[in-house]
């Protein structure tokens, strides 16, 4: 029984060491040295092989080495192979830190002050109390809930939008397409944490961005494809939106002529809001080994009907 590693070679030894300590019964192999493919029961990969079913007839579980799973074609994954997300509390905590930073930066108008600094302007702005600022999170899953929990003690008015009803600490959850515009209409700061699916691709288009209150800010830590970048740029240039903090883009890195690089009301970070933490990821793998042995439901299995 072995696990085949097909992710960043720079991290391979760390995964090997952690797995050998916590799951010594699981042989670690690193692509392309697959050995006997019949012995590969688990794969840890960033992107899958096109012929994964043909190569690995005894494959049981495919672990996603990144936070998202939109890079996997679920239609080509055999029905008997489950796709697993390596989401754990440490990953959620790191994501919540970034969201907290972004919300506070937009709340205290730090992007506008940076623009003033570059222009040599000394222009204090009125301070808005957190209790008067409405923050909405799109996608109230494990990561979204962690972000909301981190924001709640600061006193923001919180809300969420989700496919199904979820608890929002101290706030309201809007549900489904019929309530999306109402949700957006009360978001002074919008945080996108959605998974990328056919239904959410391009969800923040010009019409949806126009639903936001005048001067609203956007934090995107979901996927670049959620936001129509030309629509966002227009909203920023026309003053309808006050700023955007973007950790993900359609093209990463963006081309050098992409206007987002130098836009005065945009902060770009290179897809670093969060990532799978090796210790936490291994903990999920070890727990699922135990659950397999005992015939229990596995952790973090991707629902193929939803795509996440």
């Amino acid at each position: 029984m072995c696990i085949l590693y097909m992710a960043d070679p720079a991290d391979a030894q760390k995964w090997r060491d952690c797995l050998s300590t916590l799951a010594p019964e699981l042989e670690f192999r690193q692509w392309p040295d697959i050995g006997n493919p019949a012995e590969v029961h688990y794969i840890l990969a960033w992107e899958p092989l096109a012929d994964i079913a043909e190569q690995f007839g005894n494959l049981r579980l495919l672990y996603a080495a990144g936070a998202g799973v939109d890079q996997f074609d679920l239609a080509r994954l055999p029905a008997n192979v489950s796709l697993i997300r390596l989401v754990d509390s440490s990953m959620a905590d790191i994501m919540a830190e970034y969201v907290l930073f972004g919300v506070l930066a937009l709340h205290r108008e730090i992007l506008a002050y940076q623009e003033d600094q570059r222009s040599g302007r000394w222009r204090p702005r009125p301070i808005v109390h957190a209790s008067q600022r409405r923050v909405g999170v799109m996608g109230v899953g494990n990561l979204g809930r962690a972000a909301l929990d981190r924001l709640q003690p600061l006193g923001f008015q919180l809300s969420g939008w989700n496919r199904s009803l979820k608890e929002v600490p101290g706030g309201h959850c809007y549900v489904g397409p019929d309530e999306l515009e109402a949700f957006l209409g009360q978001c002074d700061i919008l945080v996108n944490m959605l998974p990328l699916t056919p239904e959410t691709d391009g969800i923040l288009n010009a019409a949806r961005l126009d639903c936001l209150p005048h001067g609203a800010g956007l934090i995107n830590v979901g996927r670049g494809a959620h936001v129509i970048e030309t629509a966002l740029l227009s909203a920023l240039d026309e003053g309808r939106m006050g700023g955007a903090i973007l950790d993900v883009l359609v093209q990463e890195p963006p081309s050098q002529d992409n206007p987002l690089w130098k836009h005065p009301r945009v902060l770009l970070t290179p897809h670093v809001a969060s990532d799978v933490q090796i210790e936490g990821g291994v903990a999920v793998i070890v727990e699922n080994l135990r659950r397999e042995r005992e015939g229990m439901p596995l952790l973090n299995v991707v629902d193929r009907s939803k795509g996440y």
Side-chain angles (χ1 to χ4, degrees):
M1 183 171 67
C2 79
I3 184 167
L4 177 63
Y5 181 83
M6 298 173 58
D8 188 350
D11 290 333
Q13 191 59 47
K14 296 177 183 177
W15 283 96
R16 183 191 299 272
D17 292 344
C18 199
L19 280 164
S20 66
T21 299
L22 298 177
E25 73 278 18
L26 195 60
E27 180 187 352
F28 185 94
R29 297 179 187 173
Q30 184 177 352
W31 177 267
D33 299 325
I34 66 174
N36 182 354
E39 297 171 351
V40 176
H41 296 102
Y42 311 100
I43 290 179
L44 173 59
W46 170 245
E47 293 180 339
L49 293 173
D51 58 349
I52 193 170
E54 292 76 16
Q55 276 207 60
F56 304 101
N58 292 325
L59 184 64
R60 300 175 190 169
L61 304 177
L62 174 59
Y63 286 98
V69 295
D70 50 278
Q71 69 271 36
F72 294 94
D73 185 352
L74 295 175
R76 301 192 64 172
L77 193 64
N80 63 313
V81 177
S82 295
L83 177 61
I84 308 289
R85 298 177 68 219
L86 291 178
V87 176
D88 75 307
S89 59
S90 62
M91 179 181 174
D93 287 342
I94 293 170
M95 177 65 83
E97 288 175 1
Y98 186 98
V99 171
L100 179 60
F101 142 75
V103 168
L104 288 174
L106 292 172
H107 169 55
R108 295 303 302 266
E109 301 190 70
I110 298 303
L111 299 186
Y113 284 124
Q114 282 191 319
E115 186 180 2
D116 286 346
Q117 179 182 343
R118 287 188 287 265
S119 301
R121 292 190 298 263
W122 189 266
R123 186 170 57 181
R125 291 169 170 77
I127 294 175
V128 177
H129 196 276
S131 63
Q132 303 303 311
R133 191 78 76 185
R134 299 167 296 177
V135 180
V137 173
M138 298 181 76
V140 191
N142 292 339
L143 301 181
R145 177 55 195 264
L148 287 163
D149 287 343
R150 191 67 64 90
L151 291 165
Q152 185 186 18
L154 298 181
F156 292 106
Q157 297 180 40
L158 300 179
S159 64
W161 181 78
N162 205 65
R163 176 174 176 164
S164 58
L165 184 63
K166 294 291 183 71
E167 181 182 357
V168 173
H172 177 69
C173 184
Y174 295 78
V175 179
D178 292 343
E179 297 188 3
L180 178 55
E181 291 188 3
F183 164 75
L184 294 172
Q186 50 85 63
C187 289
D188 300 315
I189 298 175
L190 174 64
V191 184
N192 175 47
M193 304 184 74
L194 291 170
L196 183 61
T197 67
E199 291 74 26
T200 65
D201 192 346
I203 192 169
L204 292 177
N205 55 26
R208 301 267 170 66
L209 293 176
D210 279 346
C211 293
L212 294 168
H214 186 82
L218 170 67
I219 301 166
N220 189 15
V221 291
R223 284 290 185 263
H226 285 132
V227 178
I228 304 301
E229 292 176 2
T230 53
L232 174 61
L233 284 163
S234 294
L236 290 167
D237 290 340
E238 295 166 12
R240 289 181 284 114
M241 291 185 63
I245 296 176
L246 308 175
D247 186 57
V248 288
L249 297 172
V250 173
Q251 177 183 330
E252 297 178 1
S255 62
Q256 286 302 308
D257 61 352
N258 189 319
L260 290 171
W261 277 114
K262 297 182 179 180
H263 199 286
R265 293 297 180 93
V266 173
L267 174 63
L268 298 181
T269 55
H271 207 138
V272 294
S274 187
D275 202 353
V276 170
Q277 300 301 294
I278 293 175
E279 293 80 4
V282 168
V284 173
I285 294 172
V286 171
E287 175 61 15
N288 275 346
L289 286 171
R290 183 186 71 82
R291 288 171 175 254
E292 273 192 297
R293 289 194 299 267
E294 299 179 8
M296 299 170 60
L298 301 180
L299 296 177
N300 303 341
V301 178
V302 171
D303 185 333
R304 296 186 187 222
S305 66
K306 297 178 180 179
Y308 58 90

